[in-house]
Amino acid sequence: MPVKPSARAKSRLEVDGVARADLARAIALDTLAAATACDLVAQVVVVTADGVLAREAATIPALRFVPEGEARGLDAAIATGIAAIDPAGRMPRAALLGDLPSLRPDDLAEALRQANSVPRGVVADAEGTGSTLVTAATGVEWTSAFGDGSLARHVSLGCAALSIPDASTLRRDVDTAVQLDAARALGLGPRTVAVLSA
Ligand SMILES: Nc1nc2c(ncn2[C@@H]2O[C@H](COP(=O)(O)OP(=O)(O)OP(=O)(O)O)[C@@H](O)[C@H]2O)c(=O)[nH]1
Ligand SMILES: C[C@H](OP(=O)(O)O)C(=O)O
């Protein structure tokens, strides 16, 4: 999971009375907590340069932090994480965006179960244009092309679009206040709720 330093993250997320960096970090922490609670996940690896996030995540079990180093941008950060844990592709790997504050472990498990039967997989975001999860099976070289309109790019890289319900919490990434409202309707994680109600 790539996580941008909170001071620079979620530039489009304006919520009255809430510090954007605190909200961005809480969203990332809720996403991390859900991923670590997923039965099909052996290890969650976070690639970040955000030291505060690393400290606050100390209460979440079994996380591994990889420094971002010289890598620049989302795909480079993911590639750094993959290289740190499994450069030869000896196990199935997945990149999960860190801005899914409603994520439920079972929704991630459903996608990973489906991913087991394809060489590469992708989960579309709720709008149907971006991506929230990209997977690669054992022995398949890692590649990702996140960013605006990434779903089509991932499909052209050979990722099968996984069949995940529209309302799955795995599809609800949050960049704007409108998307945060949509996430709230699915049920936000406790850290995000705490920041919003402080
Ligand atoms: N480590 C790392 N993570 C990134 C980087 N860019 C984006 N991410 C993470 O990738 C996920 C999706 O990020 P975006 O929605 O594209 O970026 P954002 O900064 O959160 O939001 P915007 O300001 O709206 O672009 C989030 O978990 C981000 O924290 C990066 O350069 N490095
Ligand atoms: C990263 C990007 O999503 P965003 O969060 O920028 O909408 C994507 O869909 O690949």
Side-chain angles (χ1 to χ4, degrees):
M1 182 180 308
V3 183
K4 213 188 226 184
S6 304
R8 292 194 284 114
K10 297 290 142 222
S11 56
R12 293 172 285 160
L13 189 53
E14 302 281 353
V15 181
D16 276 354
V18 175
R20 184 189 289 128
D22 292 347
L23 182 56
R25 196 175 293 116
I27 287 172
L29 288 165
D30 278 334
T31 312
L32 284 173
T36 58
C38 175
D39 288 348
L40 271 73
V41 173
Q43 170 84 78
V44 176
V45 179
V46 189
V47 184
T48 192
D50 189 334
V52 178
L53 179 87
R55 273 201 306 283
E56 290 190 3
T59 55
I60 302 173
L63 282 179
R64 175 165 165 193
F65 277 83
V66 170
E68 195 155 341
E70 295 305 302
R72 284 289 167 268
L74 175 44
D75 293 305
I78 292 167
T80 298
I82 298 278
I85 51 154
D86 184 19
R90 292 207 168 86
M91 56 185 144
R93 290 135 292 149
L96 175 71
L97 295 191
D99 57 2
L100 306 165
S102 301
L103 183 64
R104 285 199 291 267
D106 286 355
D107 287 348
L108 179 57
E110 171 58 23
L112 296 177
R113 239 187 313 276
Q114 288 187 32
N116 271 333
S117 55
V118 294
R120 289 192 172 121
V122 61
V123 172
D125 67 7
E127 286 76 22
T129 54
S131 318
T132 59
L133 180 86
V134 166
T135 66
T138 302
V140 175
E141 192 186 346
W142 180 261
T143 185
S144 70
F146 283 97
D148 225 19
S150 65
L151 179 66
R153 281 194 302 282
H154 286 131
V155 169
S156 61
L157 286 169
C159 297
L162 304 179
S163 178
I164 302 298
D166 289 355
S168 168
T169 60
L170 177 59
R171 297 187 60 177
R172 183 65 282 164
D173 63 331
V174 168
D175 292 310
T176 65
V178 169
Q179 291 171 333
L180 183 62
D181 284 342
R184 194 184 274 115
L186 296 175
L188 291 166
R191 296 159 187 85
T192 306
V193 168
V195 166
L196 290 173
S197 46

